[in-house]
Amino acid sequence: QVQLVESGGGLVQPGGSLRLSCAASGFTLAYYAIGWFRQAPGKEREGVVCIRSSDGRTYYTDSVKGRFTIFRDKVNNTVYLQMDSLKPEDTAVYYCATDLSPIVRCMISAEYTYWGQGTQVTVSS
């Protein structure tokens, strides 16, 4: 069974940091595309960062460049989203996602079949 379980969300002040975890089971994460998405109330789900399966390249949305970093722990089959210099506009539910078929447009949520349950990130003073 393919499963993704997010954790690490919480309340943080502007300028603070959080590290989100996405633990994978039922497949080896390193061989597939992985994406982090977020959805704020009343807004569409947007891609934050992804690793493309076709070439392994990483793509970040402009609003998080220089602040967020994605990385994988192959031993523990886990992907992380390190979030630094957090801003109130980063407040959202964050989801990790993957698919067992090759993904080229890895920032497009419709490309993914498997999703975690989401973890809430709130940035507020």
Side-chain angles (χ1 to χ4, degrees), residues 69-113:
T69 306
I70 188 171
F71 60 98
R72 292 184 287 201
D73 180 345
K74 295 182 179 181
V75 173
N76 292 296
N77 208 30
T78 299
V79 63
Y80 300 91
L81 181 64
Q82 177 67 42
M83 305 187 296
D84 298 319
S85 301
L86 282 162
K87 304 175 180 180
E89 51 262 46
D90 296 318
T91 296
V93 177
Y94 284 71
Y95 302 87
C96 62
T98 194
D99 198 273
L100 303 187
S101 297
I103 291 177
V104 176
R105 302 186 303 161
C106 65
M107 294 289 275
I108 305 300
S109 62
E111 296 284 350
Y112 296 85
T113 300

Side-chain angles (χ1 to χ4, degrees), residues 12-48:
V12 65
Q13 293 186 343
S17 297
L18 285 174
R19 180 177 290 180
L20 306 184
S21 300
C22 176
S25 61
F27 71 105
T28 301
L29 191 155
Y31 297 116
Y32 304 98
I34 190 75
W36 282 99
F37 295 79
R38 65 186 181 186
Q39 188 165 19
K43 296 185 178 181
E44 295 290 323
R45 185 170 299 184
E46 66 170 342
V48 178

